[in-house]
Amino acid sequence: MYKRTDVGVRQTTHEAMMMPRTARQLARLATILMAAAALGCTDALEYPQIALSLEVSSRIPFGYIGGIRELSDRRVVVADPLGIALVTMVLGAGTADTIGRVGSGPEEYRQPDRVLALPGDSTLLVDLGNSRLSVLDPDGRFCEHYPIARQTASGGQALIVPRFTDRLGRLYFLAEGAGGHRIARGAVARFDRTTRSVDTLALVALPDRSRPPPPTGAGPAIPPDLFEPRDDWAVAEDGGVATVSSRDYAITWVLPSGNVVRGNPVSVESVRVEDAHREELLEQLMASQLTMRSGGESGGIGMSRGAGGGRIPDVDRIEWPETLPLIRPGRVVATPDGFLWTERYVLPGHTPVIDVFNREGAKTAEIALPVDRRVVGFGAGTVYLARKDETGLEWLERYHLPS
C-alpha cells in the first residue's frame, strides 16, 4: 500500500485499493536489520522515514491534554487535568460537550488526568482528585467507580494509576519500588477488573528518588532525577508489554503467550548538552513537569505543571550531564497494529524523532514529528498529536497513520 521513497512513504492511487503491505514489508526489513546487527554494521543502515499527514486540528485549546480516547463514531473524549475539564468533541467542529462536572459526587470528578479505552466504546477516567477510577458508558454517563488505592493479597496497598488498557479492559500500571539505591526498580503490573487480581509482568529500572533535590536558593525546587536515564514501557491492545532499556536502547517484549523476546541494542547518537542550550532546555523540561500533590478534604491528588511562580532555576545550580538521556520518559506508546513508538530526546526547537520497533524488538522505521508536538493517542488509522503554542496552550491534531 505504501512505497519507500527518498523522502518518506507515499501512497499510490492503485495501491490504496489493495490489502496493506507495510507491516509485512517492515517485517522483512527487520530480518535484514537483525542480520546486519549480527555482523556489527547497523550504524551504516538507513531506516525508512514514515510521513504523517495532518487531517484536522481542534479549534478549542486545552491547558494540558492528558489523554484522548477516540470513539467508534470518531468523536474524541479529551481529559484536561490543568483546565479540570472532560469533554467530547468532533475535531474541527469548533464545539465540545462537557461530561459531568467538578465535584466528588457519582457524576463528578476533581482531577481528570487521563482517559483510556474500554470494550464496547466505554471509557476509563483516571480521576486523581477523587483518588478513583470511573467508567463511562458510550454516552458519557458515569456507571462505575473503583478506588485507586487497593489492598493486595499480601496485606499491603497498591496504587493503581493506569497508563494503558488492553482490548479486554485490563488495566496496566507501574508499581514503583523503594529507593535507597542509585537505580531503583519498578514493576509493570496488570489489574483485572473482573477477578480483581494484580499480576506483575515486567521490571523496569528507575532513577533513585530517595535523594533530596539540589539546593536552588529562593528558586523553585528541581526534581533530582530530571535528567537521569530511566527505562520506559508500553502495552499493546492484545496485552503484549514492551520495555525500553535506557542503558543500551534494547526493546524487550513480554508477549500475551508469556514468551519473552529481546531485541538487539540500537546504536543512536547521544545529544550533547551545550552551554548555549542549557537555559532553554531547562525551561522546556521544567515547563513539561507535572507535579502531583496530595491533601485537601477529599484526600485526593492535585496536579500542576511547570516551575512555581513562573520562575526557572539558575542553570549554574544544576549538575548537568554531558549528554541527554536517549528516550523521553512517558513518550513510549504501542500502535493499534502492535508496533512500538519511542521518542528520543532532542534539543529545544529540533524535530522530535520517533523510532518504530516491531514485535521482535527490531527497529524498522523512523518518524519525524512536527516541532512542539507529542503523541497523545490513536484512532482508526490515525494518530493524535498535542501541539503546544507560544502561550503554553495545547491544541489537538489528528494525522493520517499509514497502514
Side-chain angles (χ1 to χ4, degrees), residues 138-166:
D139 296 321
R141 293 187 294 262
F142 290 75
C143 54
E144 199 172 1
H145 301 283
Y146 302 95
I148 284 179
R150 300 193 64 86
Q151 204 77 14
T152 64
S154 62
Q157 194 175 65
L159 294 179
I160 301 177
V161 183
R163 182 174 162 189
F164 302 102
T165 56
D166 62 22

Side-chain angles (χ1 to χ4, degrees), residues 69-370:
R69 188 267 199 268
E70 185 185 86
L71 302 173
S72 59
D73 60 5
R74 302 302 295 273
R75 287 181 301 144
V76 182
V77 183
V78 184
D80 181 353
L82 288 186
I84 314 181
L86 181 66
V87 303
T88 58
M89 62 189 307
V90 176
L91 220 58
T95 59
D97 296 322
T98 300
I99 300 175
R101 58 185 179 273
V102 177
S104 300
E107 301 283 332
E108 298 173 339
Y109 47 81
R110 287 194 180 277
Q111 188 72 57
D113 175 67
R114 180 179 292 133
V115 284
L116 299 166
L118 292 178
D121 253 6
S122 294
T123 300
L124 182 76
L125 168 65
V126 181
D127 180 5
L128 292 180
N130 285 318
S131 296
R132 69 187 183 191
L133 310 175
S134 300
V135 178
L136 284 67
D137 69 14
D139 296 321
R141 293 187 294 262
F142 290 75
C143 54
E144 199 172 1
H145 301 283
Y146 302 95
I148 284 179
R150 300 193 64 86
Q151 204 77 14
T152 64
S154 62
Q157 194 175 65
L159 294 179
I160 301 177
V161 183
R163 182 174 162 189
F164 302 102
T165 56
D166 62 22
R167 64 169 61 105
L168 298 179
R170 297 175 296 186
L171 318 182
Y172 296 78
F173 64 99
L174 182 65
E176 297 193 25
H181 302 280
R182 175 170 171 75
I183 297 295
R185 287 284 180 180
V188 178
R190 179 180 63 206
F191 173 64
D192 191 308
R193 295 184 300 132
T194 302
T195 64
R196 299 295 196 268
S197 61
V198 176
D199 298 311
T200 297
L201 305 175
L203 297 177
V204 292
L206 302 172
D208 173 29
R209 294 183 175 176
S210 65
R211 296 182 291 107
T216 57
I222 301 173
D225 57 0
L226 186 62
F227 297 103
E228 288 192 24
R230 69 196 72 194
D231 293 355
D232 210 341
W233 60 284
V235 178
E237 289 186 355
D238 64 358
V241 176
T243 61
V244 185
S245 171
S246 59
R247 180 177 55 86
D248 59 4
Y249 204 20
I251 309 299
T252 300
W253 278 99
V254 181
L255 302 177
S257 63
N259 293 334
V260 178
V261 179
R262 189 176 192 274
N264 291 317
V266 176
S267 177
V268 295
E269 185 177 355
S270 299
V271 178
R272 294 190 61 83
V273 180
E274 304 291 345
D275 291 345
H277 296 120
R278 288 184 177 182
E279 185 171 348
E280 187 178 1
L281 181 63
L282 180 60
E283 183 177 355
Q284 179 192 70
L285 293 179
M286 289 295 291
S288 66
Q289 287 290 304
L290 293 180
T291 303
M292 287 183 283
R293 60 190 184 280
S294 60
E297 296 180 359
S298 68
I301 304 172
M303 177 181 289
S304 61
R305 183 177 66 174
R311 297 169 298 172
I312 300 299
D314 187 346
V315 295
D316 295 329
R317 293 180 178 270
I318 297 176
E319 184 178 345
W320 289 87
E322 291 186 3
T323 59
L324 291 174
L326 294 178
I327 57 173
R328 296 204 57 166
R331 303 286 181 92
V332 175
V333 292
T335 65
D337 55 357
F339 284 87
L340 187 72
W341 288 15
T342 67
E343 182 179 338
R344 281 190 258 145
Y345 257 113
V346 296
L347 292 173
H350 286 62
T351 300
V353 177
I354 299 286
D355 290 329
V356 181
F357 295 85
N358 64 12
R359 283 300 181 97
E360 285 73 47
K363 181 177 173 180
T364 58
E366 294 180 352
I367 302 172
L369 298 183

